[in-house]
Amino acid sequence: GIGRYGWVERGPNNIGGRTRSLVINPANSSEMWAGSIGGGVWHSTNGGTSWAPVNDRMSNLAVCSLALVPGTPVTLYAGTGEGIYNGDAIAGNGIYKSTDGGVTFTRLAGTQTWSYVNRIAVSPSNPQVVLAATRSPGGVYRSTNGGASWAIVLSSTACMQVVFDPNDGNKCVADVYNGGAGTDSLVHDLN
């Protein structure tokens, strides 16, 4: 089992759903948030020993992806919808943003029709630049104003992952699926 390799289960184990994402506050490694399908966003202030839901009133609790912008308080993005083609997937309704460390979340207006947000990435050089890997609408979307508006930068049937180069905020890697063509890893220059 897990204990054999030195891992210790930290939960959350009191949620309804699969945990699909985890972010840790770089200024305080004891503080973390978990996103779960069907359970929403959960918060721990003690390194994962205990967890509490942060907002059970979001209109969609199928949180598949989280992204964090360091600060006091941190800014969090929560992408809804489990778009990885599993049979028991729950659809979402866009991306939610919190500017108060996860206490409250507001859905970003330009994303309300997005059913599956698989990953969210924030540029390491400009926290206003945010990327979303989606399946329905499909592809990579970019915001240059902290999520207020979005434009497609890479069209595909589905995008499963998007990650910024930690040394160059103008470059990212996206893992996309183009129908019957299979999965292709693409390097995309944002300039």
Side-chain angles (χ1 to χ4, degrees):
I2 290 175
R4 182 172 101 191
Y5 298 104
W7 289 85
V8 177
E9 182 182 343
R10 293 289 185 198
N13 56 13
N14 56 343
I15 63 171
R18 297 171 288 283
T19 301
R20 288 275 184 215
S21 56
L22 177 73
V23 291
I24 300 170
N25 186 348
N28 176 3
S29 62
S30 293
E31 183 174 40
M32 54 188 71
W33 293 263
S36 73
I37 302 300
V41 179
W42 290 71
H43 184 226
S44 174
T45 58
N46 54 16
T49 300
S50 63
W51 294 86
V54 299
N55 189 338
D56 280 341
R57 303 265 187 248
M58 290 170 61
S59 64
N60 191 293
L61 297 177
V63 177
C64 185
S65 55
L66 292 171
L68 180 145
V69 179
T72 306
V74 301
T75 294
L76 292 168
Y77 292 92
T80 61
E82 188 178 28
I84 59 171
Y85 295 99
N86 53 313
D88 57 351
I90 301 173
N93 66 358
I95 297 176
Y96 292 75
K97 182 177 181 179
S98 172
T99 57
D100 58 11
V103 176
T104 60
F105 282 86
T106 303
R107 185 172 53 183
L108 297 175
T111 69
Q112 71 268 13
T113 61
W114 297 5
S115 298
Y116 302 105
V117 180
N118 290 322
R119 289 291 174 255
I120 302 169
V122 179
S123 170
S125 58
N126 181 352
Q128 292 297 305
V129 176
V130 183
L131 299 176
T134 69
R135 180 194 130 206
S136 182
V140 178
Y141 284 77
R142 176 178 57 193
S143 174
T144 58
N145 52 17
S149 62
W150 297 83
I152 191 160
V153 292
L154 179 62
S155 182
S156 67
T157 302
C159 186
M160 302 303 176
Q161 177 69 275
V162 64
V163 179
F164 274 100
D165 179 332
N167 299 312
D168 186 347
N170 290 316
K171 295 186 177 170
C172 71
V173 175
D175 183 23
V176 299
Y177 175 72
N178 287 308
T183 301
D184 306 309
S185 292
L186 303 174
V187 176
H188 183 65
D189 188 343
L190 296 178
N191 287 332

